[in-house]
């Protein structure tokens, strides 16, 4: 992964409530949010030498900063999201235009099927996981599995605080899986235990899961994650990962953190 899509937080704020983290009366401190976003971007650009693409922010689309939900990119194909909540559906055309103008083959899903992009679909090179039950529909995964010729294991999300898969699961470059099991139903927990060897399962404690410690970006041996998760950092460091913690609490007011603020482009 060498290129990420991000969106400056010019119009970020809490203007509606579509997940349990969002409260209209818990206003975003704009200056702090801008500072935190720049700190995150600086870790990617200056420390990790990652190329960032910036999509133009638009007024009235406060969640556009969460580019993980733009869609999912596999090779030259971009599958554009179709958001469950009308509040975010206006983002779809803007993301689609960006993909088209940057040379991607754009694929859209048939109307009525909800899919929230890389927020709900992530994994390893040959094995992907698809979150459903909160935002994305289970029915999208057989279609995407066929399209990309990859196995996709559906995982049902049963806790509304962990409404996107990337809020509670993070595949690492060495084949390990960082996750919070209680966010999944029993079948999901069993399938993860069956597919990932016990030495490769990094289980985060609940109090750090609630700080979105799994909402992390793994690039090679580096992991960028929200600040305030020392146990998770320890688990990662034991496996040889270098951790980069960034304070992103202004974005937590919207139910998002490091991973949500980026989209892997290759
Ligand atoms: N407020 C946004 C929403 O509820 C946050 C999205 C976070 N994105 C993510 N990939 N988890 O849709």
């Amino acid at each position: 992964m060498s290129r990420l899509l991000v969106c400056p937080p010019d119009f970020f704020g809490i203007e509606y409530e579509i997940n349990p983290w969002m409260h209209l009366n818990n206003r975003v401190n704009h200056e702090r949010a801008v500072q935190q976003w720049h700190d995150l971007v600086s870790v990617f650009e200056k420390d990790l030498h990652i190329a960032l693409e910036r999509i133009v922010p638009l007024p009235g689309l406060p969640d556009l900063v969460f580019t993980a939900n733009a869609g999912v990119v596999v090779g030259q194909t971009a599958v554009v999201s179709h958001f469950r909540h009308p509040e975010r559906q206006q983002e779809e055309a803007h993301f689609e235009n960006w993909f088209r103008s940057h040379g991607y083959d754009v694929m859209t899903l048939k109307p009525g099927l909800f899919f929230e992009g890389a927020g709900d679909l992530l994994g390893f090179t040959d094995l992907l996981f698809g979150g459903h039950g909160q935002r994305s529909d289970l029915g999208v995964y057989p279609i995407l599995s066929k399209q990309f010729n990859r196995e996709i294991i559906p995982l049902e999300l049963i806790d509304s605080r962990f409404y996107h898969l990337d809020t509670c699961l993070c595949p690492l470059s060495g084949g390990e899986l960082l996750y919070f099991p209680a966010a999944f139903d029993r079948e999901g927990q069993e399938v993860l235990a069956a597919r990932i060897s016990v030495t490769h399962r990094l289980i985060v404690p609940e109090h750090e899961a609630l700080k979105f410690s799994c909402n992390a970006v793994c690039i090679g041996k580096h992991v960028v994650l929200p600040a305030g998760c020392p146990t998770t950092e320890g688990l990662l460091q034991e496996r040889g990962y270098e951790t980069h913690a960034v304070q992103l609490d202004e974005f937590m007011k919207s139910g998002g953190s490091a991973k949500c603020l980026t989209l892997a482009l290759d």
Side-chain angles (χ1 to χ4, degrees):
M1 179 163 56
S2 56
R3 244 169 22 114
L4 299 173
L5 178 65
V6 296
C7 175
D10 301 25
F11 306 106
F12 171 62
I14 312 297
E15 291 174 20
Y16 43 77
E17 299 177 357
I18 58 168
N19 69 50
W21 303 92
M22 303 175 86
H23 301 291
L24 286 168
N25 58 11
N26 190 19
R27 298 176 64 88
V28 166
N29 177 328
H30 184 71
E31 220 170 289
R32 268 190 102 232
V34 169
Q35 183 60 51
Q36 293 179 356
W37 188 85
H38 283 285
D39 291 344
L40 178 70
V41 156
S42 152
V43 169
F44 287 122
E45 288 186 321
K46 302 214 170 75
D47 302 345
L48 305 183
H49 307 289
I50 299 297
L52 299 184
E53 298 278 353
R54 290 164 168 78
I55 188 171
V56 174
L58 292 179
L61 299 181
D63 276 341
L64 205 61
V65 285
F66 298 112
T67 51
N69 300 124
V72 72
V73 173
V74 176
Q76 269 308 109
T77 303
V79 182
V80 182
S81 290
H82 179 34
F83 289 92
R84 181 167 299 272
H85 296 96
E87 290 89 340
R88 293 200 67 185
Q89 286 169 0
Q90 289 172 72
E91 298 175 35
E92 294 166 15
H94 190 52
F95 283 130
E96 181 172 345
N97 287 339
W98 189 90
F99 287 124
R100 285 196 196 285
S101 61
H102 288 75
Y104 290 91
D105 300 323
V106 168
M107 175 180 162
T108 49
L109 294 156
K110 63 171 189 259
L113 265 189
F114 296 116
F115 173 59
E116 301 203 355
D120 270 330
L121 181 62
L122 56 159
F124 304 106
T125 337
D126 49 352
L127 174 62
L128 300 174
F129 301 101
H132 67 96
Q134 305 274 339
R135 297 291 183 89
S136 299
D137 285 322
L138 176 60
V140 301
Y141 298 120
I143 299 169
L144 296 179
S145 174
K146 212 168 153 199
Q147 166 75 22
F148 297 131
N149 194 25
R150 306 263 174 96
E151 181 180 5
I152 300 178
I153 297 182
L155 295 172
E156 185 172 348
L157 298 166
I158 58 161
D159 181 332
S160 61
R161 296 169 302 176
F162 303 101
Y163 58 92
H164 278 139
L165 185 60
D166 68 1
T167 62
C168 51
L169 178 139
C170 176
L172 302 172
S173 59
E176 305 92 342
L177 190 68
L178 184 73
Y179 70 112
F180 177 58
F184 302 95
D185 66 355
R186 192 198 302 198
E187 206 185 316
Q189 293 181 32
E190 283 173 3
V191 82
L192 288 171
R195 296 298 297 260
I196 310 292
S197 71
V198 62
T199 55
H200 281 54
R201 284 179 237 146
L202 276 58
I203 310 279
V204 309
E206 180 171 20
H207 67 279
E208 292 194 359
L210 288 168
K211 290 190 164 174
F212 276 14
S213 65
C214 297
N215 200 251
V217 183
C218 178
I219 299 171
K221 277 296 185 188
H222 298 271
V223 180
V224 182
L225 77 172
C229 304
T231 304
T232 304
E233 287 196 54
L235 289 171
L236 292 163
Q237 288 161 1
E238 272 169 29
R239 308 298 172 112
Y241 291 96
E242 189 177 325
T243 55
H244 305 261
V246 183
Q247 182 57 260
L248 293 166
D249 55 3
E250 291 299 328
F251 296 92
M252 273 307 282
K253 294 177 177 172
S254 188
S257 197
K259 162 66 182 7
C260 307
L261 292 165
T262 67
L263 175 70
L265 293 172
D266 42 36

